[in-house]
Amino acid sequence: MSESKYEDLDTEEAKTDYQQALLKRAMSYCWSEAFLGRFRRFFSENAGVFEDHAREHMNFTKTEDCSTPTVEHDLNHHKCFAEYLEMFESTLEAFVEEEGSTSADFFQQLSDCKENPRITPEENLFIQCLLASADYESFYSVMIKEAKKLIVMKNAGKIYDGPTEIASPTAEGKEGDLDDFEDLGIDDGESKDARK
């Protein structure tokens, strides 16, 4: 398709109305659970990749503070971002194609909407969020928040993080193994005193 529906419109008012309608459809699509749920799962499933950085920045109240140039990002962070970006672009591309547009036209129209005096604060926020979604620093900030949640859940015992060290039998027998299970909150039905 060489021209989009937008290009076929002959007046500025018609183009503005089209952009407003497109913005509302995009908001509806992008704020849907089907769209957001994919990314929530991705963030949650990949939070561990950013756990070390989150531990270093647990005392920051704003995650923007840890997006400083002095933070060294490893290859796994960038690989995770590339996976996210590919998923984001392909998910959004489905909507853009349904609209009979290209990604470049779509983002240009969203950017042009920011100049529209009729735009609401919610619409402006949506545009800012959508445009920032392809930005590494924004992604990093979200992943640090998710990693902090993961750390808190692990510390609260809500998520099992695995044993901190491998148990080995002691010279007295297998009591050391049973004690390790007790540390994990596993009850073998027999009290520790009764085993001794």
Side-chain angles (χ1 to χ4, degrees), residues 10-186:
D10 55 0
T11 67
E12 284 303 311
E13 185 176 346
K15 289 182 177 186
T16 299
D17 290 344
Y18 179 83
Q19 287 175 336
Q20 282 293 122
L22 173 66
L23 180 59
K24 290 189 184 325
R25 290 190 305 273
M27 286 176 67
S28 177
Y29 177 77
C30 293
W31 290 145
S32 71
E33 184 56 37
F35 185 86
L36 292 176
R38 293 185 70 185
F39 298 101
R40 287 184 188 124
R41 280 188 301 281
F42 180 87
F43 297 148
S44 178
E45 290 169 0
N46 290 281
V49 173
F50 294 82
E51 194 171 343
D52 288 342
H53 277 217
R55 285 188 193 286
E56 292 173 22
H57 304 293
M58 284 300 281
N59 60 336
F60 290 154
T61 55
K62 293 183 177 182
T63 57
E64 295 80 28
D65 294 340
C66 61
S67 296
T68 62
T70 59
V71 174
E72 187 172 322
H73 302 273
D74 65 31
L75 187 58
N76 288 330
H77 295 161
H78 291 286
K79 180 181 175 208
C80 191
F81 176 65
E83 290 172 16
Y84 155 79
L85 197 54
E86 183 178 324
M87 184 175 74
F88 175 76
E89 289 172 350
S90 66
T91 303
L92 194 57
E93 188 67 32
F95 171 78
V96 170
E97 284 178 5
E98 278 182 29
E99 290 295 316
S101 189
T102 65
S103 290
D105 287 344
F106 174 74
F107 280 105
Q108 182 59 51
Q109 290 176 40
L110 285 182
S111 184
D112 292 347
C113 278
K114 290 192 309 186
E115 308 304 320
N116 185 338
R118 298 185 311 184
I119 194 167
T120 67
E122 294 81 14
E123 291 167 337
N124 191 41
L125 175 64
F126 169 74
I127 292 170
Q128 290 175 9
C129 289
L130 196 60
L131 295 176
S133 294
D135 176 62
Y136 179 79
E137 291 299 322
S138 298
F139 170 79
Y140 179 77
S141 179
V142 168
M143 294 308 296
I144 292 297
K145 286 178 189 175
E146 284 298 315
K148 285 181 177 182
K149 286 186 215 173
L150 177 66
I151 292 166
V152 168
M153 295 297 284
K154 284 179 179 179
N155 290 344
K158 302 286 185 186
I159 297 175
Y160 175 66
D161 194 22
T164 54
E165 54 187 70
I166 299 174
S168 61
T170 62
E172 296 89 36
K174 297 207 179 239
E175 183 177 330
D177 289 340
L178 293 175
D179 288 342
D180 289 334
F181 282 112
E182 284 176 353
D183 291 342
L184 296 173
I186 300 171

